[in-house]
């Protein structure tokens, strides 16, 4: 077996950015793993070919499926068939919600070396070494897969840059017949978030609060502070889960991705899914009582102090 | 009605910690253990479904040494009916596929109507155990569920999946099925003192698996500190820090 198989991600007729990041990651290990093949599984794959035809791509494999939207059971049947046909050393998926819905199942079924949320890939002595994080991203670990010669990796988004350059990939199409008796999930519809009066993706200055706020009653102090300093209030996931703020104010993978001029975070430790949503802000000021909080790893300025005391003092400055 | 909830006791690193001299772990003294936050939500969901149904049982199951029994008891105090601990010498508890395999073996004869797992655990964040468990049990599965409407008479469920960016997808799935549950699906209850005391007296079943025919697992070969950006540290007392923050804000928004 040899080669790298990338499964392209797309939604609503558009290739998602992560697909181009997977190509960059694959290019980094091409010397060890072999040719790069990108699989396009869609109702009309032809429309998506040009976007993924990047310099590093050797072959694009299209599979036509009779579905507009992603279906877990259809996707895994197709990817399984491709893995069996192509026999790649390395299969790379994005660490996205759709991919994590079937990646581990395929790895389990086919006995592949598996790791998700991977941030770095390399080969040593012909074997894969994958880097990921433990303990809430406070430490990095290098994983090896003894006895495995084929791997399935889910790569974290926004770590590798998107691939560029135009390629001259070979094109071929593969027919996969879907076993309908094994399609046990049926797509019914997509619900968009309710329109809201606040669009945090347009704010130039975000004041973002996290679990450190403690209680719903404490939020008011930060709403007032935001108004005083000219910021829009945003938050991390736990405050939305608790029902204290609406999802429209949530920064992170399942909320919004923001790139304001200033991101001032108070009491947010920096879970990976949160960092994904704000790490490209121009200036990040992070405030947390935990000096090891992962958010400091993406911040420009760090303040290890109490968010309530800081808020009180900061308000006096405006 | 029978719902199985797979739970994990997760490790949390203290604020200041040291790496172990063996190079592949942290100093164990720097770890504290907790019931995984996602599993609190999925347990609550299971208990609510049983309560709505009028009767049934919620069985919590976890892989690990005796240390995890504390988390199993917390689940009993929060409404689980019975608890199972699974153990095998050959399984690496940080490897999600191996843990899923062990749980599937232990659940072979249980025949639940639904199986819940958390979307991910807060310590290793693989997000894989629930989906792999479904595969080992040959069951349908839906990951990252935000709402579950179970229709027992139709052997199906209508479920909302949380996608990126605030989108939700509605799907219908045949049951029995495995669902990985997202936080925010419900408001978990607190355990009352009475429930905590009752839980202390309940037995925890132990299923010890012999050498499972496991293919080799992933292995940590090195653990090290991440190389993040080095931020400029704002020094001084809170008033001084606030003044520096204000200066940065005024400069950048000028």
């Amino acid at each position: 077996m040899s080669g790298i198989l990338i499964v392209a991600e797309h939604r609503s007729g558009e290739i998602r950015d992560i697909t181009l990041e997977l190509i960059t990651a694959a290019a980094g290990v091409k010397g060890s793993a072999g040719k790069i093949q990108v699989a396009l599984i869609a109702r009309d794959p032809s429309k998506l070919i040009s976007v993924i035809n990047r310099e590093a791509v050797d072959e694009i494999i299209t599979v036509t499926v009779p579905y507009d939207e992603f279906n877990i059971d259809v996707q895994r049947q197709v990817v399984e068939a491709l893995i069996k046909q192509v026999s790649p050393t390395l299969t790379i998926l994005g660490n996205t919600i759709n991919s994590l819905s079937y990646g581990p199942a395929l790895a389990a079924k086919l006995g592949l070396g598996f790791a998700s949320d991977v941030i770095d890939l390399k080969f040593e002595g012909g074997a894969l070494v994958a880097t990921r994080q433990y303990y809430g991203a406070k430490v990095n670990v290098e994983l090896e897969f003894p006895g495995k010669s084929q791997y399935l990796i889910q790569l974290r988004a926004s770590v590798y840059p998107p691939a560029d350059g135009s390629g001259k990939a070979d094109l071929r199409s593969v027919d996969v017949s879907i076993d309908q008796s094994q399609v046990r999930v049926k797509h019914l519809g997509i619900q968009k978030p309710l329109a809201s009066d606040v669009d945090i993706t347009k704010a130039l200055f975000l004041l973002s609060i996290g679990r450190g706020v403690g209680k719903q009653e404490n939020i008011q102090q930060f709403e007032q502070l935001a108004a005083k300093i000219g910021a829009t209030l945003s938050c991390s996931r736990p405050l939305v889960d608790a029902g204290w703020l609406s999802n429209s104010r949530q920064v992170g993978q399942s909320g919004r991705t923001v790139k304001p001029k200033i991101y001032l975070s108070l009491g947010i430790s920096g879970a990976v899914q949160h960092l994904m949503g704000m790490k490209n802000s121009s200036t990040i000021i992070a405030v947390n009582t935990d000096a090891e909080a992962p958010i400091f790893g993406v911040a420009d300025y760090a303040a290890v102090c109490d968010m309530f005391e800081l808020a009180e003092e900061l308000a006096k400055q405006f | 009605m029978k719902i199985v909830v797979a739970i994990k006791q997760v490790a949390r690193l203290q604020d200041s910690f040291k790496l172990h001299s063996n190079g592949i772990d942290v100093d164990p003294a720097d770890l504290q253990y907790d019931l995984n936050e996602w599993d609190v939500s999925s347990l609550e969901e299971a208990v609510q479904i049983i309560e709505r149904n009028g009767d049934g049982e919620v069985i919590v199951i976890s892989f690990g040494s005796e240390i995890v029994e504390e988390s199993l008891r917390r689940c009993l105090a929060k409404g689980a009916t019975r608890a199972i601990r699974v153990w095998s010498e050959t399984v690496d508890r940080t490897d999600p596929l191996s843990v899923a395999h062990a749980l599937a073996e232990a659940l072979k004869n249980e025949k639940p109507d639904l199986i819940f797992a958390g979307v991910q655990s807060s310590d290793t964040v693989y997000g894989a155990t629930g989906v792999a468990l479904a595969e080992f049990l040959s069951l349908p599965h839906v990951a990252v569920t935000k709402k579950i409407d179970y229709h027992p008479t139709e052997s199906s469920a209508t479920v909302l999946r949380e996608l990126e960016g605030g989108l939700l997808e509605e799907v219908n799935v045949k049951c029995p099925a495995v669902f990985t549950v997202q936080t925010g699906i419900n408001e978990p209850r607190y355990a009352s003192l009475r429930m905590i005391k009752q839980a202390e007296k309940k037995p925890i079943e132990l299923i010890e698996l012999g050498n499972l025919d496991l293919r080799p697992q992933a292995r940590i070969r090195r653990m090290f500190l991440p190389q993040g950006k080095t931020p400029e540290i704002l020094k001084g007392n809170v008033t001084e820090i606030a003044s520096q923050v204000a200066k940065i804000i005024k400069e950048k928004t000028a």
Side-chain angles (χ1 to χ4, degrees):
Chain A
M1 72 232 47
S2 76
I4 304 170
L5 178 67
I6 292 173
V7 180
E9 289 228 19
H10 57 89
R11 183 168 285 148
S12 305
E14 285 190 13
I15 291 285
R16 297 180 69 200
D17 290 345
I18 182 137
T19 306
L20 301 178
E21 295 165 18
L22 302 184
I23 295 173
T24 304
V29 294
K30 195 164 159 161
S32 308
K35 80 178 190 178
I36 297 177
Q37 298 138 105
V38 180
L40 262 179
I41 304 164
R43 190 190 273 284
D44 188 358
S46 63
K47 297 205 168 121
L48 305 168
I49 290 174
S50 60
V51 180
I52 58 165
N53 199 350
R54 299 285 150 140
E55 198 176 327
V57 179
D58 297 298
E59 186 177 66
I60 296 172
I61 302 171
T62 59
V63 182
T64 304
V65 290
Y67 296 90
D68 285 313
E69 295 292 344
F70 173 84
N71 179 296
I72 295 166
D73 287 336
V74 170
Q75 186 85 350
R76 55 166 290 177
Q77 281 189 42
V78 173
V79 177
E80 182 178 344
L82 288 177
I83 292 176
K84 286 183 171 153
Q85 217 195 83
V86 169
S87 206
T89 303
L90 176 61
T91 299
I92 313 182
L93 311 179
N95 198 59
T96 61
I97 292 170
N98 279 345
S99 288
L100 69 84
S101 299
Y102 74 95
L106 263 190
K109 180 168 183 188
L110 302 176
L112 306 172
F114 173 81
S116 60
D117 198 29
V118 169
I119 59 176
D120 191 58
L121 284 178
K122 57 189 176 206
F123 275 81
E124 276 180 26
L128 181 70
V129 176
T131 304
R132 60 185 316 282
Q133 300 188 299
Y134 271 30
Y135 304 127
K138 291 192 173 182
V139 297
N140 285 2
V141 298
E142 277 180 355
L143 292 179
E144 53 191 5
F145 308 87
K148 302 288 189 188
S149 51
Q150 280 184 288
Y151 316 92
L152 188 147
I153 297 299
Q154 291 170 201
L155 196 78
R156 185 191 288 180
S158 307
V159 173
Y160 284 85
D164 56 12
S166 64
K168 300 188 188 66
D170 294 327
L171 280 181
R172 71 181 170 103
S173 75
V174 168
D175 279 320
V176 177
S177 68
I178 306 295
D179 178 358
Q180 288 296 339
S181 72
Q182 287 302 302
V183 180
R184 308 151 300 181
V185 179
K186 189 167 127 187
H187 169 85
L188 296 178
I190 298 263
Q191 292 179 13
K192 295 204 163 86
L194 293 170
S196 151
D197 53 351
V198 69
D199 183 352
I200 58 173
T201 64
K202 304 233 157 51
L204 292 176
F205 180 6
L206 285 173
L207 173 69
S208 208
I209 52 176
R211 222 193 277 262
V213 81
K215 292 190 288 206
Q216 187 169 17
E217 303 88 81
N218 295 342
I219 293 178
Q220 194 182 50
Q221 176 183 7
F222 299 92
E223 281 168 341
Q224 288 164 355
L225 176 64
K228 206 143 196 258
I229 65 179
T232 303
L233 187 71
S234 61
C235 68
S236 61
R237 192 191 174 101
L239 278 67
V240 175
D241 280 350
W244 300 344
L245 288 172
S246 93
N247 172 268
S248 57
R249 292 194 191 265
Q250 184 179 329
V251 173
Q253 184 181 26
S254 51
R256 305 287 179 279
T257 297
V258 297
K259 286 191 175 92
K261 271 199 173 158
I262 309 176
Y263 190 85
L264 172 57
S265 84
L266 306 179
I268 295 177
S269 62
V272 167
Q273 290 91 347
H274 183 81
L275 297 185
M276 275 170 65
M278 46 64 70
K279 61 190 239 205
N280 294 322
S281 307
S282 311
T283 303
I284 298 171
I285 310 169
V287 178
N288 199 297
T289 49
D290 174 6
E292 311 288 343
I295 194 141
F296 291 130
V298 302
D300 299 289
Y301 301 94
V304 181
C305 65
D306 176 78
M307 64 190 272
F308 295 96
E309 288 174 17
L310 181 75
E312 210 181 298
E313 290 301 313
L314 189 56
K316 293 181 191 160
Q317 305 269 340
F318 285 80
Chain B
M1 187 183 289
K2 190 191 285 191
I3 306 181
V4 164
V5 179
I7 65 142
K8 184 182 180 189
Q9 181 161 290
V10 293
R12 195 166 30 102
L13 254 189
Q14 306 279 57
D15 283 2
S16 70
F17 63 93
K18 290 181 301 302
L19 290 177
H20 197 291
S21 53
N22 66 16
I24 61 170
D25 207 341
V26 294
D27 186 339
D30 294 331
L31 290 172
Q32 277 188 326
Y33 296 94
D34 263 322
L35 176 57
N36 183 32
E37 190 184 343
W38 279 266
D39 302 341
V40 174
S41 296
S42 74
L43 171 65
E44 174 66 27
E45 195 63 20
V47 172
Q48 284 190 15
I49 292 176
I50 296 290
E51 283 171 349
R52 278 200 291 275
N53 190 55
D55 78 82
E57 47 171 3
V58 174
I59 302 151
V60 282
I61 186 167
S62 192
F63 181 88
S65 67
E66 294 91 2
I67 304 177
V68 311
E69 293 200 351
E70 187 192 328
S71 287
L72 285 167
R73 286 209 188 282
R74 271 193 67 193
C75 293
L76 289 170
K78 283 171 180 279
T81 323
R82 62 184 163 93
I84 304 173
R85 177 167 75 86
V86 184
W87 177 248
S88 165
E89 287 289 336
T90 60
V91 171
D92 174 357
R93 73 177 299 262
T94 64
D95 186 72
L97 263 52
S98 307
V99 169
H101 193 154
L103 292 176
E105 273 300 303
L107 289 171
K108 251 187 335 210
N109 301 318
E110 200 66 64
K111 310 264 183 286
D113 298 289
L114 301 173
I115 300 179
F116 291 170
V119 164
Q120 63 197 35
S121 59
S122 55
D123 54 1
T124 52
V125 198
Y126 276 99
T129 311
V131 172
L133 174 61
E135 177 61 29
F136 285 118
L137 293 171
S138 302
L139 290 177
H141 49 94
V142 182
V144 199
T145 57
K146 254 336 248 299
K147 191 168 191 292
I148 301 171
D149 281 321
Y150 178 43
H151 322 293
T153 46
E154 285 127 49
S155 296
S156 74
T158 309
V159 167
L160 282 180
R161 282 177 74 215
E162 184 187 79
L163 303 177
E164 287 91 352
L167 290 175
L168 294 170
E169 183 194 6
E170 195 179 21
V171 298
N172 183 279
V173 59
K174 298 198 171 113
C175 294
V178 176
F179 298 93
T180 76
V181 176
Q182 183 60 294
T183 54
I185 189 172
N186 54 42
E187 206 178 307
R189 68 195 64 193
Y190 289 101
S192 68
L193 205 47
R194 184 177 61 87
M195 296 283 287
I196 294 174
K197 281 193 183 309
Q198 279 183 354
E200 272 163 29
K201 300 195 206 104
K202 283 192 173 177
I204 293 180
E205 185 188 342
L206 169 64
I207 297 181
E208 216 163 325
L209 302 167
N211 282 330
L212 280 182
D213 173 29
L214 282 176
R215 307 181 210 201
Q217 307 146 40
R219 187 168 66 196
I220 298 175
R221 72 169 203 175
R222 185 167 83 103
M223 182 178 282
F224 55 102
L225 296 177
Q227 223 70 41
K229 241 153 104 172
T230 321
E232 187 183 316
I233 304 194
L234 302 177
K235 298 198 179 84
N237 61 33
V238 177
T239 314
E240 286 161 343
I241 294 176
S243 148
Q244 291 167 74
V245 173
K247 184 156 175 275
I248 298 165
I249 291 172
K250 288 170 187 173
E251 264 169 32
K252 305 284 175 185
T253 53

